[in-house]
Amino acid sequence: MAEFITFFCGAAIILAGAIGVVVARNAVHSALFLIQTLLGVAVIFVVQEAHFLAAVQIVVYAGAIVILFLFVIMLLGVDKAEDLGVEPIAGQKPLAVVLGASLLATAITFVLVATDGATGVGSGDPERQLDSGITDIERIGRVLFTEYAVAFQLTAALLTIGVIGAVVLTRSLSSADQLDDLEPASMDLPSLAPEGANDEHHVDTVEEDAS
Amino acid sequence: MILAGLALTPPYYLVLSALMFAVGATGLLIRRNPLVMFMCVELMLNGVNISFVAFGADLNDVGGQISVFFVLVVAAVEVVVGLALVVAINRRRADATADDVSLLRG
């Protein structure tokens, strides 16, 4: 009973937040609605007794990812209301809503058909069973560092690649020029046109050099 | 109460997951601000996370929660790289929407 009430409260929080993300005109409001949705998902995780994930959901998603979003919104100064009435592509919105509704109808049909009387079998490994008496975080830790150790290492590599990618993409042009200056100048390369020869392309040339 | 005899079976979670995924997908198609589009992708990822945990709970297996953990890491990396792209695009051209970035269009 209490489970049910918690579930429906969490579901209401999630759906209100999700719709808010989509319809809010201001990107900051979208980010705040996203926090609401992520907290609702944390509530749903608690109902399913995934306590560790609920904590991680709040710390990593609501605490780090959304704050990153807000940082970028403020950094770029795009925190002004967007005119949602402008439609560069005719009929984009109605078509998107129709596509989303059909996606939803398909998914729900599959859920109701597929789960009708279906029974699943877990792995049977006592280490992996959720009712084995050890705490949630201990169970995840044991399985993560034994069975999924390789995948865990790969996520470390992925995070490193992500950090390097972010640094490369956001490297400012001036520091890029400095890096280029460190290399010995080669006279064999086709040199750039003299200053002012094609001024209108000058900015593009510099940026191509930087990349 | 009507609900007293009912149990929270997987379909409840899966329908909620489908709703969240559909709202995210619709938002991704409607919005043109790349930042809001990324938030809609987060909605879709979280919708899938709910169903992972529901399946894991139904099978009495920790694999669902492990999957959510990995989805979380991938989502974090995706946001970092995506926001770096948004910053890089905005540096060349302020107020760019997803429609303006069409250099590769044939």
Side-chain angles (χ1 to χ4, degrees), chain A residues 1 3-4 7 11 14-15 18 21-22 24-25 27 30-31 34 37-38 41 44-45 47-48 50 53 56-57 61 65 68-69 72-73 76 78 80 82 84 86 88 92-93 96-97 100 103-104 107-108 111 115 120-123 128-131 136 139-140 143-144 148 151-152 155 158-159 162 166 169-172 204 207, chain B residues 1 3-4 6-8 10-16 18-33 35-36 38-40 42-43 45-46 49-50 53-66 68-77 79-81 83-88 90-92 95 99:
Chain A
M1 187 63 229
E3 238 183 357
F4 251 97
F7 172 80
I14 287 176
L15 292 178
V21 171
V22 176
R25 287 162 180 274
S30 286
L34 185 62
T37 307
L38 298 175
V41 174
I44 295 297
F45 284 166
V47 176
Q48 293 175 300
L53 287 182
V56 168
Q57 177 84 8
Y61 256 122
I65 293 185
L68 196 61
F69 269 115
V72 173
I73 291 169
L76 298 180
V78 291
K80 51 189 173 294
E82 189 183 337
L84 293 178
V86 184
Q92 184 188 2
K93 264 177 223 168
V97 172
L103 178 69
L104 178 65
I108 289 183
V111 165
T115 55
V121 181
S123 72
R128 297 175 57 115
Q129 283 174 3
L130 295 179
D131 53 3
D136 185 54
R139 186 183 307 110
I140 290 180
V143 176
L144 195 60
Y148 296 93
F152 189 71
T155 59
L158 184 67
L159 283 166
L169 284 171
T170 55
R171 194 174 58 161
S172 68
D204 287 341
E207 293 195 352
Chain B
M1 284 290 286
L3 297 176
L6 293 176
L8 264 183
Y12 286 96
Y13 296 107
L14 297 181
V15 168
L16 174 64
L19 275 167
M20 208 173 152
F21 190 90
V23 171
T26 311
L28 189 67
L29 292 171
I30 288 177
R31 299 302 296 259
R32 284 185 308 282
N33 182 340
L35 285 164
V36 180
F38 271 120
M39 293 181 205
C40 291
E42 297 302 313
L43 285 182
L45 287 168
N46 271 279
N49 279 352
I50 291 177
V53 175
F55 281 127
D58 191 42
L59 294 177
N60 191 18
D61 191 294
V62 79
Q65 297 186 20
I66 301 280
V68 173
F69 179 82
F70 287 126
V71 169
L72 217 79
V73 175
V74 173
V77 174
V79 165
V80 168
V81 175
L83 291 181
L85 278 172
V86 171
V87 170
N90 261 265
R91 190 176 285 152
R92 293 186 74 142
D95 274 349
D99 294 327

